[in-house]
């Protein structure tokens, strides 16, 4: 799923999370760290251990991208 309201259904409610730019940068940085850790963890798994792979990596990635886009919009003002 792409976390971008432009890709949603026209009649679907939109959720807005209000935060300061500093808070968004803090959250975005943390999401980047978690995603990096998860990719490294996955790379270290031995054959047959894929059931130990952390879940939610694609969701973390999409939320991180959404935050980066929102921060870019703030910087363009």
């Amino acid at each position: 799923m792409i976390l971008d309201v432009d890709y949603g259904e026209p009649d679907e409610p939109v959720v807005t999370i209000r935060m300061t730019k500093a808070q968004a940068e803090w959250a975005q940085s943390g999401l980047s760290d978690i995603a990096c850790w998860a990719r490294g963890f996955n790379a270290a798994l031995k054959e047959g251990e894929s059931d130990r792979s952390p879940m939610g990596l694609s969701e973390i990635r999409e939320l991180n991208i959404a935050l980066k886009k929102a921060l870019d919009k703030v910087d363009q003002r």
Side-chain angles (χ1 to χ4, degrees):
M1 175 181 289
I2 298 173
L3 295 182
D4 187 330
V5 72
D6 294 333
Y7 291 95
E9 296 297 321
D11 60 341
E12 193 172 1
V14 174
V15 175
T16 302
I17 300 172
R18 292 179 44 85
M19 63 181 77
T20 66
K21 181 181 178 194
Q23 291 167 337
E25 289 170 336
W26 173 80
Q28 188 274 312
S29 178
L31 289 171
S32 291
D33 286 346
I34 290 170
C36 186
W37 174 87
R39 286 190 298 269
F41 185 91
N42 286 340
L45 290 175
K46 296 182 176 116
E47 190 173 327
E49 292 185 322
S50 61
D51 61 326
R52 295 185 54 224
S53 181
M55 297 173 62
L57 185 54
S58 61
E59 289 86 346
I60 289 169
R61 184 179 302 117
E62 286 296 325
L63 185 55
N64 195 21
I65 290 168
L67 274 171
K68 286 180 182 182
K69 286 180 180 179
L71 286 165
D72 283 344
K73 287 180 183 178
V74 168
D75 289 338
Q76 292 174 2
R77 289 185 186 176

